[in-house]
Amino acid sequence: AYSYIRAANLLLEVLPKYASNYTEAQANSFLGEAYFIRSMVYYSLVKRYGGVPVVDKVIDYPASVSFEDTKLFRASEEDTWDFIGADLDKAIELLPESNQKGRANKYAALALKSRAMLYAGSIARYGTVDLNGLVGIDKALANDYFELAYKAVKELEKSKRFSLYRKNSDKEKNFAELFLAEDSPENIFCKYFQR
């Protein structure tokens, strides 16, 4: 997972130096995708392990950092979720409303933020804090995370770009078509397979 995080960090550090080679919209889209990918990787880590080491810069050992700088400790689970939320806020700000098929856009970032904050709120509400906060979130913060999830969903809903698939009046066919239709109004972020 940290190789993806390093690649995202590298892009976030290096692209601004070469931003003049791209239009502002392209550069923002690339940066937004890097924030999106980094948050998605951290989301997959934190839901399995609790707090994990948060790396927000390229660690280039031994070229520019000492061995001591490579010793990273686990952040609290709360700090890790907050880092994910901050990355997704940056992604939402930078990403375009539409992008190439299979690439993240503003709405994919909103959907991921809603899911991640709902997960964090559930950890706070139903979990317990252990290992001095490395695992678990204080119960008092549950509603704050639920509120962030709610706001992201409302923003997604406000766009009116997505809805339930209802193209066929026959419910059985409708259900079958739902998984095959590339133009389904339920598709927010899809992984496309090409031969």
Side-chain angles (χ1 to χ4, degrees):
Y2 281 94
S3 63
Y4 292 115
I5 291 168
R6 186 181 198 287
N9 287 339
L10 188 61
L11 181 70
L12 290 169
E13 285 184 20
V14 173
L15 183 68
K17 297 173 189 171
Y18 300 98
S20 61
N21 294 334
Y22 305 99
T23 66
E24 184 180 355
Q26 286 174 320
N28 285 344
S29 181
F30 293 147
L31 291 172
E33 284 181 276
Y35 282 117
F36 179 82
I37 289 167
R38 187 168 74 177
S39 64
M40 185 178 264
V41 173
Y42 272 113
Y43 172 62
S44 68
L45 288 171
V46 72
K47 69 183 181 179
R48 288 170 177 80
Y49 306 116
V52 295
V54 173
V55 182
D56 62 352
K57 63 184 186 294
V58 176
I59 298 174
D60 195 10
Y61 175 78
S64 60
V65 296
S66 68
F67 180 70
E68 289 301 313
D69 293 332
T70 65
K71 294 180 181 177
L72 301 172
F73 299 97
R74 289 173 69 179
S76 70
E77 186 163 356
E78 178 187 337
D79 289 344
T80 308
W81 285 111
D82 291 344
F83 182 76
I84 292 167
D87 266 6
L88 287 169
D89 286 339
K90 291 175 190 166
I92 291 163
E93 176 187 328
L94 293 169
L95 285 167
E97 290 190 8
S98 62
N99 209 339
Q100 284 178 277
K101 275 182 147 183
R103 295 186 74 163
N105 60 31
K106 174 182 179 176
Y107 302 110
L110 281 165
L112 182 59
K113 182 173 183 183
S114 174
R115 175 180 271 191
M117 297 301 104
L118 181 63
Y119 201 101
S122 297
I123 293 289
R125 169 86 35 97
Y126 304 109
T128 56
V129 178
D130 202 3
L131 300 173
N132 294 326
L134 293 179
V135 178
I137 302 172
D138 184 12
K139 288 188 185 309
L141 298 173
N143 286 341
D144 295 340
Y145 287 110
F146 289 143
E147 184 69 26
L148 291 171
Y150 176 79
K151 286 179 180 175
V153 162
K154 289 315 254 182
E155 188 73 26
L156 195 60
E157 184 180 50
K158 194 167 44 172
S159 76
K160 298 192 185 306
R161 295 177 67 138
F162 308 99
S163 65
L164 295 177
Y165 187 88
R166 295 186 176 129
K167 292 188 178 182
N168 197 319
S169 59
D170 180 354
K171 301 298 182 199
E172 183 180 341
K173 287 182 180 176
N174 195 60
F175 186 72
E177 290 172 3
L178 164 69
F179 299 102
L180 302 173
E182 282 193 32
D183 63 339
S184 171
E186 291 189 25
N187 294 348
I188 297 175
F189 184 61
C190 296
K191 186 173 185 178
Y192 291 93
F193 295 94
Q194 297 175 350
R195 294 174 200 257

